């Protein structure tokens, strides 16, 4: 916002309340009410306003209090933001960032626990990113704001308290570029957002048993970094995909399809997925944790995969 006066922030409680999760703390005082705009509880309305502003040259950042609430604005995102460039023959661009916490939190009920990324990654015209670490949260946000297309930034409410080094200055992480969070030789785990931390915890446990796990943090879901994924599978010859969405038609299914097409000869075992169970999220804390991918389930999956490959 300091770099480009066309950038503004709009959403519920982003201003005077400093953001529902204090992400925009201090920004109202710094940039004023013209550029930090509190809205009514009307996601369809303020998302539409943001899309219109983007079409006429501004670069809005629209905050959803949670991506679950973006369902109210789905028509605006699907039929306007994603399609306006193509349907106008390139006369309009839509450089808008839509951001907020995604997937489950802690006992917030089924209607507030959806992992929404696969809904939007399905749509041509949209870009979707999901950072796991503070440095990437900064770098991907900068890249998203500067992109001339609609970019959806899927954060995790459970990661807002995670601390880590963040480079000073103009730190930008390119969209569509994964990173190797942990090198390994026996199996690749592909994950993103909070599941990257789950994968790293599982990898640390498996290392104690002599199993070397490479963890690929995808960071970007659309565009997807196929090159990094394929290169990793060619080193390890096995792939486990961990994500917080449901299994049917999820991001993991897309990744599995691409890897088996691009690196079939490198695979020594079937690609397997660890996902949230195929049910609405329970409110009970114990049942909620049982539904979500846990390090123990990832460890067990990797062991089964290696046993099958070596049989």
């Amino acid at each position: 916002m300091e770099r480009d006066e066309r950038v503004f922030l709009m959403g519920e409680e982003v201003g005077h309340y400093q953001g529902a999760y204090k992400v925009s703390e201090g920004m109202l005082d710094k940039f004023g009410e013209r550029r930090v705009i509190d809205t009514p509880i009307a996601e369809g309305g303020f998302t539409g306003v943001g899309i219109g502003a983007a079409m006429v040259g501004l670069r809005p950042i629209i905050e959803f209090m949670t991506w679950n609430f973006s369902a109210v604005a789905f028509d605006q995102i699907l039929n306007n933001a994603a399609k306006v460039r193509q349907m106008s023959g390139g006369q309009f661009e839509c450089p808008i960032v839509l951001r907020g916490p995604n997937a489950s939190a802690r006992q917030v009920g089924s209607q507030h626990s959806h992992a929404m990324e696969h809904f939007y990654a399905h749509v041509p015209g949209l870009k979707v990113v999901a950072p796991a670490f503070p440095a990437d949260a900064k770098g991907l946000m900068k890249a998203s704001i500067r992109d001339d297309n609609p970019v959806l930034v899927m954060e995790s409410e459970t990661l807002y308290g995670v601390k880590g080094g963040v480079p000073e200055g103009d730190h930008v992480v390119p969209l569509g570029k994964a990173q190797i969070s942990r090198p390994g030789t026996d199996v690749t785990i592909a994950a993103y957002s909070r599941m990257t931390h789950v994968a790293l915890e599982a990898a640390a446990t498996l290392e104690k048993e002599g199993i070397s796990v490479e963890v690929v943090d995808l960071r970007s879901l659309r565009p997807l970094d196929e090159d990094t994924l394929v290169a990793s599978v060619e080193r390890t010859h096995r792939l486990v995909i961990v994500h917080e969405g449901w299994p049917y038609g999820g991001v993991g299914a897309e990744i599995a399809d691409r890897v088996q097409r691009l690196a079939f000869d490198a695979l020594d075992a079937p690609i397997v997925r660890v996902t949230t169970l195929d049910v609405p999220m329970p409110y009970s804390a114990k049942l909620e944790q049982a539904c979500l991918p846990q390090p123990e389930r990832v460890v067990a999956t990797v062991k089964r995969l290696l046993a099958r490959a070596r049989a």
Side-chain angles (χ1 to χ4, degrees):
M1 293 177 74
E2 291 176 338
R3 178 178 178 270
D4 190 340
E5 292 186 353
R6 296 173 298 172
V7 179
F8 68 93
L9 173 65
M10 181 165 59
E12 297 159 3
E13 299 184 345
V14 299
H16 292 281
Y17 190 69
Q18 311 283 318
Y21 299 96
K22 302 302 179 242
V23 172
S24 55
E25 187 171 7
M27 295 183 69
L28 177 63
D29 291 340
K30 187 168 186 176
F31 296 105
E33 292 187 346
R34 289 193 63 195
R35 297 183 65 195
V36 180
I37 304 168
D38 282 321
T39 69
I41 303 174
E43 286 82 4
F46 63 74
T47 301
V49 169
I51 292 168
M55 289 171 62
V56 296
L58 299 179
R59 306 187 81 89
I61 304 167
I62 302 300
E63 177 177 317
F64 296 118
M65 192 176 294
T66 163
W67 270 102
N68 296 273
F69 299 163
S70 74
V72 181
F74 186 67
D75 179 62
Q76 289 286 359
I77 300 169
L78 170 67
N79 283 319
N80 291 325
K83 299 177 181 178
V84 67
R85 181 197 291 267
Q86 189 260 8
M87 292 184 69
S88 70
Q91 295 180 80
F92 290 103
E93 294 179 341
C94 191
I96 188 172
V97 173
L98 303 157
R99 57 153 298 272
N102 181 48
S104 64
R106 292 288 184 269
Q107 288 187 272
V108 292
S110 179
Q111 292 179 327
H112 297 71
S113 298
H114 300 116
M116 300 291 289
E117 65 274 9
H118 66 285
F119 287 99
Y120 294 110
H122 181 64
V123 181
L126 302 178
K127 297 184 178 183
V128 181
V129 300
F133 302 101
D136 290 336
K138 175 182 178 177
L140 289 170
M141 179 62 72
K142 281 181 172 287
S144 299
I145 293 169
R146 297 175 190 182
D147 199 283
D148 288 331
N149 300 282
V151 184
L152 284 59
V153 182
M154 304 284 198
E155 301 159 5
S156 170
E157 182 178 335
T158 59
L159 294 183
Y160 284 142
V162 171
K163 296 182 179 180
V166 178
E168 295 286 344
D170 198 28
H171 171 63
V172 179
V173 175
L175 306 186
K177 185 63 178 174
Q179 69 175 354
I180 305 297
S181 294
R182 180 188 179 112
T185 57
D186 294 329
V187 61
T188 296
I189 298 180
Y192 55 90
S193 190
R194 188 167 73 90
M195 291 298 106
T196 297
H197 297 268
V198 170
L200 288 169
E201 187 174 338
T205 298
L206 289 162
E207 183 181 36
K208 298 174 184 176
E209 302 184 33
I211 299 172
S212 176
V213 176
E214 180 153 293
V215 177
V216 178
D217 178 18
L218 297 173
R219 301 196 292 194
S220 179
L221 306 180
R222 185 163 186 156
L224 184 69
D225 186 354
E226 295 175 343
D227 293 340
T228 297
L229 270 172
V230 168
S232 179
V233 170
E234 288 175 341
R235 286 191 294 272
T236 67
H237 307 289
R238 300 166 189 88
L239 175 62
V240 174
I241 304 162
V242 183
H243 67 79
E244 202 171 335
W246 292 309
Y248 193 97
V251 170
E254 176 68 23
I255 294 168
D257 172 71
R258 294 196 187 197
V259 172
Q260 66 85 20
R261 283 189 288 109
L262 298 171
F264 182 79
D265 291 338
L267 289 166
D268 288 345
I271 299 170
V272 294
R273 294 176 290 163
V274 180
T275 72
T276 293
L277 300 186
D278 201 17
V279 297
M281 187 66 68
Y283 177 76
S284 161
K286 290 184 177 180
L287 290 177
E288 180 182 59
Q289 292 306 299
C291 279
L292 291 167
Q294 303 293 345
E296 297 79 13
R297 184 143 61 99
V298 178
V299 167
T301 301
V302 169
K303 286 182 177 180
R304 286 197 303 270
L305 186 66
L306 289 170
R308 178 171 180 172
R310 291 165 180 168

